[in-house]
Amino acid sequence: QVLLVESGGASVQAGGSLRLSCAASGLTDSYRSYFLAWFRQVPGNEREGVVSAHSDGRTTYADSAKGRFTISWDNSKTPLYLLIDNLNPEDTALYYCAAGVIYGEHWSDPSDYNYWGKGTQVTVSS
């Protein structure tokens, strides 16, 4: 079974940085065919795609994430990291790691992802 576990969320002051981690298991047999992505969600808002790592290793960032967000991984896309620099209060959200087999170039629809972690909370104060 696929299991995704996020960690690294914290309460920080604006301007700081965090590195979130996603430990994935159960994907080793077919991970090359999966998209792995980071989403975030604020209560009352839609779940928002932040960045995805495509099955071929390419990455795609949401416009809102370009520059300050960086996705990376050690190997085999696990652990999967999300580095957030220059945090601002608008980054406050529950951050999720997700995995799915996706065809085409549309990566940011949450319904396309089959597996989700429980999320890790990032809270940024002014």
Side-chain angles (χ1 to χ4, degrees):
Q1 291 185 326
V2 174
L3 178 65
L4 305 176
V5 181
E6 305 95 337
S7 62
S11 295
V12 298
Q13 294 186 11
S17 63
L18 283 173
R19 189 177 72 166
L20 310 182
S21 297
C22 173
S25 61
L27 293 171
T28 55
D29 290 340
S30 59
Y31 74 93
R32 295 184 186 274
S33 66
Y34 278 84
F35 279 42
L36 291 169
W38 287 97
F39 286 76
R40 65 183 182 182
Q41 187 170 27
V42 177
N45 290 4
E46 295 183 349
R47 192 165 297 184
E48 175 189 23
V50 179
V51 59
S52 71
H54 297 211
S55 59
D56 61 2
R58 294 183 296 114
T59 59
T60 301
Y61 292 84
D63 288 341
S64 62
K66 293 178 180 177
R68 298 190 298 112
F69 291 73
T70 305
I71 191 171
S72 63
W73 51 87
D74 288 341
N75 54 69
S76 301
K77 296 185 181 178
T78 185
L80 183 76
Y81 303 108
L82 181 67
L83 175 65
I84 314 174
D85 291 317
N86 194 25
L87 284 155
N88 61 63
E90 288 70 35
D91 296 321
T92 295
L94 188 64
Y95 284 74
Y96 295 93
C97 180
V101 179
I102 298 174
Y103 301 94
E105 297 299 317
H106 298 93
W107 65 270
S108 60
D109 187 346
S111 66
D112 289 333
Y113 290 80
N114 306 105
Y115 307 105
W116 295 85
K118 294 183 178 180
T120 185
Q121 180 67 40
V122 173
T123 302
V124 185
S125 60
S126 300

